[in-house]
Amino acid sequence: MSYRIPDALIAKENARLTTAQDEDYAALGRRLERAGADIESITAKVAAFAVAVPTWGVGTGGTRFARFPGLGEPRGIFDKLEDCATIHQLTRATPACSPHFPWDKVDDYRELAERAAALGVGFDAVNSNTFQDAVGQKLSYKFGSLAHEQKAVRDQAVAHNLECIEIGRKLGSKALTVWIADGSNFPGQSNLNRVFDLYLESMAEIYAQLPNDWRVFIEHKLYEPAFYSTVISDWGSSLMAAQALGPKAHCLVDLGHHAPSVNVEQIVARLIRAGRLAGFHFNDSKYGDDDLDTGSIDPFRLFLVFNELVGASARGAPGFDPAYMLDQSHNVTDPIESLMASAMETQRAYAQALIVDRDALASAQAGNDVMLAHGILKAGFVADVTPILAEARRRNGGAIDPIAVYRVSNYRKIKATERPAVAGSSSGIV
Ligand code: LRH
Ligand code: MN
């Protein structure tokens, strides 16, 4: 039987922190009450908030230059599920994971579904992969996949996506995320208009096979691995495609997929207005698609994104049902610690956005009182909501301090004895 952190250890560690937590929570409650906010309703919302963990994120990540595997690396999807379950056991914020195929391919998906259920982990959107050539694959994706000039390659890519839908149905997933690397490195290499038509043609075949209660998430990305043009490079191309395909097609925002200084929260506002916001791949970045821990570089941007989400929910925006997922690469930290911290940072941005006095903000905006409006919004961001996040975890049976419990448990060292080191790739994101 592989090691699981005993719940008794969580209870023991929580007992050590309870007095301080109670004091801090009560003090924050009084402060928020003075500002007209009810801490209990915010804590209840945070306790119900969930963000999915990427299965490809629980192993050590790398770059094109190198990958330095850590101790107790997951050897496959069953180990990855264990680590996802540990993240949820301590944070109570990540009840589902988002798998990636063929990286998570197995022979028996019923066995996988049963193991996940036994670990208390569900499956969010499944991710297809036509940006690498899988072992035994007939035709290469070197020059593209769903938008490839050759029909046979497009058909192969469509077939892979249909296979992902079949796998997702067996796992209880309700969405397919399609990110393609298709693009060009030289002006003239591809016809910028024709490749979009080819993409739509292929996506229409995938769309036609979507179960009624499923959605397809189109993920845009400005560049990489293509360095001159990318077929679905921005939210405009993604929205054009979603509107051309039909109501089950939505636009997924990976925070790292934009040029530096792009106003991502405004893109979110536009996609919400169009009723096509699929959801997110949360991470952080300073330069490109750095896939750093969420909230680690620009927590204010994350807050501004959640401010749009809370605003949309408050006004009952039509078709507003975003899926929240992390998408990160952990090259120098323990992936479990990074994913726990990142899940908590998404909760933090959510709680901060819930504190914003929306009525006061609306009247300050209506009156063009710039400093007052900015101040009202900023008041949410500067509030230390740590006691709310800890209280939500404690009430859900999690740890007041997940990383402290994880370290006291020696989980990683124990996994290193259970999981003999496997030769991983010497470079690349997984
Ligand atoms: C592309 C991306 C996509 C995943 C991959 C692992 O950069 O964000 O969402 O398929 O990372
Ligand atoms: Mn992504």
Side-chain angles (χ1 to χ4, degrees):
M1 184 57 185
S2 63
Y3 173 74
R4 308 288 315 136
I5 297 176
D7 286 330
L9 180 62
I10 299 174
K12 177 167 162 281
E13 290 299 310
N14 280 357
R16 208 169 45 75
L17 300 170
T18 287
T19 310
Q21 168 58 20
D22 291 346
E23 275 172 23
D24 294 349
Y25 187 74
L28 178 60
R30 287 191 294 276
R31 276 198 59 219
L32 291 178
E33 195 176 353
R34 280 202 307 273
D38 168 28
I39 194 168
E40 282 305 318
S41 74
I42 296 172
T43 301
K45 286 190 176 129
V46 169
F49 177 86
V51 59
V53 167
T55 57
W56 62 94
V58 290
T60 298
T63 69
R64 60 184 168 166
F65 299 105
R67 178 175 166 272
F68 304 97
L71 279 181
E73 287 283 332
R75 297 159 294 178
I77 185 61
F78 287 94
D79 289 348
K80 292 176 182 179
L81 284 180
E82 269 191 349
D83 294 351
C84 291
T86 296
I87 294 165
H88 184 52
Q89 180 190 16
L90 299 178
T91 65
R92 294 292 179 199
T94 59
C97 66
S98 183
H100 216 300
F101 298 100
W103 293 339
D104 296 329
K105 212 168 188 158
V106 294
D107 301 331
D108 182 346
Y109 288 102
R110 188 183 313 287
E111 181 195 9
L112 185 61
E114 282 162 9
R115 179 72 180 129
L119 286 165
V121 175
F123 290 98
D124 202 310
V126 294
N127 297 267
S128 61
N129 177 344
T130 60
F131 51 85
Q132 294 172 319
D133 290 345
V135 178
Q137 185 179 303
K138 286 197 186 52
L139 303 168
S140 173
Y141 293 134
K142 178 175 181 178
F143 294 110
S145 60
L146 295 175
H148 195 287
E149 279 294 337
Q150 271 113 48
K151 179 90 171 70
V153 178
R154 299 198 302 274
D155 291 347
Q156 177 183 272
V158 168
H160 166 68
N161 279 278
L162 299 185
E163 185 194 356
C164 289
I165 293 173
E166 276 324 299
I167 295 169
R169 294 175 71 153
K170 291 177 183 145
L171 298 178
S173 176
K174 293 290 183 200
L176 168 71
T177 296
V178 181
W179 170 69
I180 59 168
D182 297 31
S184 67
N185 279 4
F186 293 82
Q189 174 184 342
S190 68
N191 178 311
L192 300 179
N193 182 55
R194 176 171 161 70
V195 290
F196 194 75
D197 291 342
L198 295 174
Y199 170 81
L200 278 183
E201 195 189 290
S202 301
M203 285 294 283
E205 290 178 48
I206 296 168
Y207 188 94
Q209 302 303 321
L210 279 177
N212 289 339
D213 59 351
W214 270 54
R215 297 187 289 174
V216 61
F217 297 165
I218 297 170
E219 183 178 3
H220 62 270
K221 183 175 181 179
L222 182 64
Y223 76 101
E224 189 212 33
F227 294 106
Y228 167 65
S229 73
T230 293
V231 175
I232 304 296
S233 59
D234 57 19
W235 72 280
S237 305
S238 179
L239 185 58
M240 281 172 66
Q243 290 172 334
L245 289 166
K248 288 189 272 188
H250 290 73
C251 309
L252 184 126
V253 178
D254 184 312
L255 298 187
H257 287 187
H258 307 88
S261 74
V262 160
N263 188 326
V264 176
E265 57 272 21
Q266 182 163 273
I267 292 173
V268 171
R270 296 289 176 275
L271 291 173
I272 290 170
R273 192 181 182 293
R276 296 297 179 128
L277 177 66
F280 296 87
H281 278 179
F282 292 120
N283 47 55
D284 215 332
S285 50
K286 194 165 182 61
Y287 306 104
D289 188 20
D290 311 338
D291 281 340
L292 298 173
D293 292 9
T294 300
S296 64
I297 301 288
D298 189 352
F300 190 49
R301 177 180 71 168
L302 185 66
F303 161 74
L304 294 173
V305 166
F306 272 89
N307 178 54
E308 293 304 323
L309 299 170
V310 169
S313 167
R315 67 175 183 271
F320 181 69
D321 178 22
Y324 299 131
M325 293 162 276
L326 300 172
D327 178 4
Q328 301 172 181
S329 179
H330 311 106
N331 307 348
V332 294
T333 59
D334 182 316
I336 290 179
E337 293 191 354
S338 275
L339 288 163
M340 292 198 293
S342 301
M344 295 189 274
E345 286 311 304
T346 55
Q347 286 181 313
R348 181 183 304 283
Y350 180 41
Q352 292 167 329
L354 287 169
I355 285 175
V356 174
D357 183 337
R358 293 192 178 274
D359 297 341
L361 179 61
S363 60
Q365 288 168 338
N368 291 314
D369 188 335
V370 179
M371 288 312 294
L372 180 60
H374 182 63
I376 291 166
L377 183 65
K378 203 70 175 292
F381 179 66
V382 298
D384 179 2
V385 296
T386 306
I388 288 175
L389 309 184
E391 191 62 23
R393 286 192 294 275
R394 176 166 66 171
R395 291 181 186 180
N396 281 339
I400 290 174
D401 185 341
I403 292 181
V405 174
Y406 175 72
R407 292 188 173 192
V408 168
S409 76
N410 277 327
Y411 180 91
R412 182 60 68 189
K413 288 196 190 69
I414 296 169
K415 290 300 163 188
T417 61
E418 289 179 4
R419 301 170 180 174
V422 286
S425 56
S426 61
S427 66
I429 61 169
V430 293

